Amino acid sequence: WAKAQGKGRLAVFDEERNARQVARYRLAGSMPEALRHGQFFVHYQPIVEFSERRAVCAEALVRWRHPELGVLGPGHFIGLAEDSGLIVELGRWVLEEACRQAVAWAHAAPDGHTPLVSVNLAARQCQDDRLPGQVERILAETGLPPDRLQLELTESAVMDDHGKPLRVLWELSSMGVRLSIDDFGTGYSNLSYLRSLPVNGLKLDRSFVHGLGAAGLATDPVELRIVAALVQLGRALGLTVTAEGVETELQARRLEELGCDLGQGYLFGPPSAPGPTGPVQL
Ligand code: C2E
Ligand code: MG
Ligand code: MG
Ligand code: MG
């Protein structure tokens, strides 16, 4: 009896899993056409300096306006695009779009206070030898100076199979493009690894920022010491440290006290359609 029931449950489970797989395949299969038909768009989230609360950078975050499913966040499709390989094309499109936007902001802002633009790269893009050439071409075509572009790479994406940093990083950094490690602290990192990379910045994962005093919570003293150590580490390496997921004034105050350079989060502004002269800030 138990055996039969177990079997039945397994069959239901298999069917559900199967249906999910089919839905994933269909979604993945419709991506190339979605890209051709302009269903993807980019929102920008401000990255601000704590003291002045001024946006010095804008992170480009891709979305998909799906004709049946509505607006999908990257969590729904970036993984699929990585698996299918479409991420190379989609990523190139996001990069072009973001660079064009940054140039438009530069033209629109009279005071020259235009934000950098920061673009996420998938592991697959970093491992592609053609990446530096593509970036160079996009910068030339859009007219964006290389030092106005930042690329965000995760810890795991920047190493080759032997644990050595990828050569494309040096090519990009020698072009003058800024490189930043995204979601820092959640992957595999150590000091010698960090020192060996030609990067300019670290983005502390929002899981660390949470403990500094998320909505309704006090600052956790242990978490505070951990973030203090991470900020110190970044500064010791001469890197710009950005905190992700800043949602409350308490978190912002703690981060500023700790000497964290920049912050990003709903407190300063959610990802939104681009404003006329920069990302939209609250
Ligand atoms: P990420 O690079 O760590 O981007 C930050 C994510 O945190 C964004 O989610 C943003 O909406 C969210 N966020 C920002 N502020 C807050 C906050 O105060 N609280 C909380 N709880 N969340 C906040 P989103 O837009 O869903 O993007 C998720 C991830 O998808 C990104 O994480 C990035 O890894 C990836 N992604 C987005 N666009 C691209 C892209 O063009 N290419 C690639 N390869 N990956 C992308
Ligand atoms: Mg990012
Ligand atoms: Mg991040
Ligand atoms: Mg993150």
Side-chain angles (χ1 to χ4, degrees), residues 60-185:
L61 295 159
V62 68
R63 276 96 182 84
W64 179 359
R65 190 172 288 108
H66 191 282
E68 285 134 46
L69 304 172
V71 173
L72 301 176
H76 288 95
F77 59 85
I78 288 291
L80 293 178
E82 293 201 66
D83 292 346
S84 73
L86 189 78
I87 191 67
V88 173
E89 250 177 279
L90 178 63
R92 189 167 52 208
W93 179 81
V94 173
L95 193 61
E96 248 177 65
E97 184 67 20
C99 291
R100 267 200 297 271
Q101 186 59 61
V103 169
W105 283 335
H107 285 312
D111 58 355
H113 279 325
T114 59
L116 304 184
V117 74
S118 196
V119 178
N120 294 284
L121 289 188
R124 188 114 173 208
Q125 292 175 274
C126 307
Q127 282 145 16
D128 188 341
D129 290 337
R130 294 167 301 183
L131 178 70
Q134 281 169 7
V135 171
E136 197 163 28
R137 187 181 54 72
I138 290 171
L139 291 173
E141 280 174 11
T142 58
L144 186 72
D147 64 355
R148 309 304 292 162
L149 173 65
Q150 172 171 276
L151 298 175
E152 299 189 10
L153 322 127
T154 59
E155 293 161 76
S156 51
V158 298
M159 311 300 270
D160 68 12
D161 295 339
H162 307 286
K164 285 215 219 67
L166 295 166
R167 205 185 51 224
V168 301
L169 300 185
W170 270 279
E171 291 182 38
L172 289 167
S173 104
S174 68
M175 285 163 52
V177 172
R178 290 159 185 258
L179 303 176
S180 204
I181 303 290
D182 203 358
D183 303 328
F184 182 72

